[in-house]
Amino acid sequence: KQNAECRHRCCDDGKISESIKVITHSMGSVFSKGYLKALIDYIMANPELCDGISITEYNFAPYQPQSYSAILGVDTYQYSHKNDNIAGDKHIEGAKYQSTSDDKNDGHFIEDFFKYINTLPSGLYRWVNGDIVKQ
């Protein structure tokens, strides 16, 4: 039975129970930090509604990663190639650095990370008749 107050297909008691995955590339990494900080602020201000949320962020070729850090409460992973002549391979403070290729052909483009993106866990939700439903 779905709670009538809850517009999400989440659970019977109206609490939001979701797995949120954010995937970024290059400058999108720093953009996502603001988005995720606002989301964490909402969760902290509304714990009675959000005790089932988990957030994971995957940053591919993050631009200037040494100038920002992972958001507290967000499980953060960084994928950087040694030979990326645009973003380099410095670390995001607080992120789990994933070992990637040092192949000369692996650079900054998102296509250079497809082999890693394809290994990420898939979500268990889908869009059905205007609603997100758990599979």
Side-chain angles (χ1 to χ4, degrees):
K1 178 181 173 191
Q2 188 70 30
N3 183 322
E5 298 292 318
C6 183
R7 290 196 30 84
H8 302 279
R9 302 278 184 179
C10 47
C11 54
D12 291 338
D13 61 4
K15 292 182 181 179
I16 302 169
S17 177
E18 297 288 342
S19 171
I20 299 170
K21 296 174 184 80
V22 176
I23 299 175
T24 71
H25 177 254
S26 195
M27 289 186 219
S29 179
V30 74
F31 173 81
S32 72
K33 302 300 180 264
Y35 174 83
L36 291 169
K37 176 70 172 99
L39 189 56
I40 291 293
D41 288 348
Y42 179 84
I43 291 168
M44 298 302 285
N46 299 281
E48 71 284 357
L49 297 176
C50 304
D51 68 350
I53 293 179
S54 69
I55 304 171
T56 308
E57 180 183 20
Y58 301 94
N59 298 276
F60 291 92
Y63 188 70
Q64 298 180 338
Q66 71 282 5
S67 64
Y68 48 90
S69 26
I71 301 299
L72 188 62
V74 176
D75 197 18
T76 305
Y77 295 87
Q78 175 184 349
Y79 296 76
S80 296
H81 291 318
K82 180 179 178 182
N83 294 310
D84 182 340
N85 62 358
I86 296 171
D89 69 344
K90 294 187 178 178
H91 296 199
I92 298 172
E93 183 181 331
K96 297 169 187 81
Y97 189 82
Q98 302 300 299
S99 177
T100 61
S101 172
D102 62 359
D103 185 329
K104 290 180 189 177
N105 295 323
D106 282 340
H108 184 72
F109 298 104
I110 192 65
E111 292 87 355
D112 296 330
F113 292 91
F114 281 170
K115 60 187 164 194
Y116 304 102
I117 293 169
N118 289 331
T119 67
L120 299 179
S122 61
L124 300 173
Y125 299 85
R126 58 192 171 106
W127 187 261
V128 176
N129 298 326
D131 289 319
I132 298 174
V133 296
K134 189 172 183 175
Q135 294 187 37

